Amino acid sequence: MKSRLALVLILCLQGFTCDENGAEPDAPLEQAAGEPSKEAPAKRRAAPAPTLAPAPDGTATYEDLLALLHLADIYEPAGLFIDFGTAARLKYTLGNWNSGWQGESREGDARVSTFGKTARLYLPAAAKQPMQLRFRAKPYATGALIVYVNGKTAGEARVSQGDGFREIVIPISEADIRPGENSIMLRATKTAQVRGKARSFAMDWLRFEPLTASGASAPRRVSVEQVSVGGVERRAIALEPGAQVEWFVEVPDDGTLIFGLGASNGAGMLALHIDHDGAKGSGQRLEAGPSWRDNQTPLRRLAGQIGRLRFRNEGPGEIVLSDVRIVRRAGEVATIDEPARNVVVLLIDTLRASKVRAYYPKTRVKTPVMDELASQGVLFERAQTPENWTKPAVASVLTSLHPATHRTKEDASKLPKSALMLSEVYKKAGFKTASFIANGYVSNAFGFDQGWDHYTNYIRERRNTNASNVFGEAQDWIEKNKNGRFFVYIQTIDPHVPYDPPDEFLKMYDPKPYKGQVQNRRTHLMLDEAKKNPKKYKFTARDKERIEALHDGEISYHDEHFGKFLVKLRELGLDDNTIIVVTSDHGEEFQEHGSWGHGHSVYQELLGVPLMFRWSGVIPANVRIGPVVSTMDIGPTVLEATGVPIPKQFEGRSLLGFMRGDWPTGPYVAFSDFLDHRRVIRGGDWKMIIRGNLSQVIFDLGNDYWEQKELDGRNQPIAQRYLRTLHGQFLGARDRGHWLAASTSASGKKKPGLTEEKQEMTPELCRQLVALGYISAECDKLLSN
């Protein structure tokens, strides 16, 4: 309890909301803090830590929405307003990824964003009506700016290099506008070399507004300030008459919206509207007065949904909103008296979550050991891997870096020496470190041999890769080193091609005689050829049945030997002081989307993986955690559990709070890549895939588990806006480890990724990788000569 109070105090002093005081849980939808007083109107001035609008007892902050103001859509009375000198622009520019925007810079006193020949924006419209783009920009070259809306030409403006900053207005016909998201492309006919880059315009601000809007008023930028109402100061924002702010959130179970409301001129009116896709929503009008009116609005009917919270000033004068946040019911927090002594991380290569009964009860695959381990610890229901194949996915697990940071994404990519591996952190902290790895990509050839006291790669050393051998050697090493603290990383490969389980495990799933073309030890070559066009192999229904039975048999075989390994740990007396993690690097496809294997798509059969933790007697048993998490969070989690400081370089975050019942604040999303071709975000049961050409597709995983129905977002504008906002913020973040931060310094530079390194691909290395089914163009060329 003392540690939690200390954390709360630190957050308060840093300007975050606190939630230790509050009203009863069943407070009405709107609860006034007291009768309006005749105190002085709102004034902005410096102040100590503010008083908070109270939350119900027994709750904890889920999302501090004022701290995430840059993620909100801000509407002036005229329309949507975008300040291109702040992080608020990122949710409209896809974080500058492939969208033509070049980042922030300064032009005189203005912070601006510049672009070259073309730039893209994604702007929401409330209704199908005539609109216009009004923006203040500086042209760098004489020519024309052509504007396209949803693929159609909307208009153009002629500009001259010497114009300086000027307002440009482009009308857009009603026929070209869509309710929900609109794709805007700005295309310049001329560019000029400015500060070493070809640039056409510097954008200061932009409004997306109804055609009838007047441009007389100057932009009024909304920001979080110290505001005094009735003599009480709080963190707050001010909304002028007709202005509104919209936040998009994943609503938790038993969530409650908390905020304070006041007026600058003694009286005002707030319209609060809450809705989600497919629902009419609900609204209420709240009077604002000269003292804070504190409100608690239960969000139970939106639990598990992506919701939109719209605050609109419908009065004649300015109103102020303080302490806007969502709280959730807090459970009992488990205490940790002593840190874990040891860590075992088991990564089962090529195991998708839907092959494990604890994740997908309909699966036929028998994994009694994993099922029991799930009942003994904590299971994360929506764990996501950062990539769809081994090398970058494992690099993210062992470095807690996003693939775009560690840059180990291609066949010849090598984990840079500058990457800080989890093994190095533990070795420096005095742990013995050992790895037992059965995948050739996670080898010394590709930079993964950093920080190990004992390093084994069974592929590179041409040794037996079966689970019985890998687990056997791992437990022998553990027995010899059990008296000290240790970190052990085991990567088994049984479910990976070539599929060749012992007969007793194959017969569990295919007891019938088989005389088809599938050969167990050649499945890696056959599936690779079956993915090509034209296909060398065309599998019959019986062949397909056989292939998946082979894979499923490997999983059950592996599960049996994992069970023997756990028995040995118990015999060694290591159960209670060792935290065990079970996960995978990626899954495997069996024609769910027309292909085989992995490394080719970003559907959930490749990205959805198991993630389970067991720490007997410390973290609760049989707990399932719903929020989306990433496997790159494993490193920070086990470091916190063992009392080892988490390096500042790590970009993941610890999940131990979830397991203890003291959840970290949201939002909860995960990001995945596929080379530079795809970018993926998952939030709750919603998923967005963005392709390199900026086309996108959405899936509702809650109602479409196998991703068979592609959605364009037109009927899901709220979920689309939520995903687009957070994805843009992440892709444009200066520091991916703190991607939610609202950086506003135009002179700030993006934290660079690690320096990319390459490994020379030799015939011997290629032969080892081909044996695993990894057949790249470079290896194909080497081996064919």
Side-chain angles (χ1 to χ4, degrees), residues 22-31 55-56 256 295-298 300 329:
E24 292 300 316
D26 294 324
L29 293 184
E30 48 185 276
Q31 181 174 352
T256 301
N295 295 266
Q296 300 175 7
T297 301
R300 294 187 189 95
R329 179 72 51 208

Side-chain angles (χ1 to χ4, degrees), residues 73 91-92 122 124 248 717-725:
D73 287 335
K91 58 184 175 286
Y92 306 109
Y122 300 90
F248 298 82
I718 294 175
Q720 183 182 43
R721 191 84 205 102
Y722 175 75
L723 297 174
R724 180 76 79 182
T725 292

Side-chain angles (χ1 to χ4, degrees), residues 150-207:
N150 298 319
K152 298 180 180 179
T153 305
E156 67 176 76
R158 302 293 303 181
V159 295
S160 298
Q161 182 177 358
D163 285 352
F165 280 104
R166 54 172 287 194
E167 273 195 30
I168 298 172
V169 179
I170 303 292
I172 307 170
S173 71
E174 179 178 341
D176 294 340
I177 292 293
R178 296 172 182 165
E181 184 174 274
N182 290 267
S183 173
I184 313 293
M185 185 172 77
L186 311 177
R187 180 176 176 273
T189 58
K190 297 291 183 180
T191 62
Q193 286 294 315
V194 179
R195 298 186 294 277
K197 289 185 178 181
R199 306 176 196 259
S200 61
F201 282 85
M203 186 76 74
D204 182 9
W205 55 259
L206 178 147
R207 284 200 196 110

Side-chain angles (χ1 to χ4, degrees), residues 75-106:
Y75 290 82
E76 295 183 340
L80 177 70
F81 176 75
I82 306 170
D83 186 342
F84 277 84
T86 71
R89 78 188 186 280
L90 297 174
K91 58 184 175 286
Y92 306 109
T93 66
L94 197 54
N96 302 348
W97 184 71
N98 284 6
S99 62
W101 295 94
Q102 298 167 328
E104 295 177 27
S105 59
R106 279 196 174 273

Side-chain angles (χ1 to χ4, degrees), residues 429-444:
F431 286 63
K432 286 288 186 179
T433 60
S435 62
F436 302 86
I437 301 169
N439 188 300
Y441 268 124
V442 189
S443 67
N444 56 340

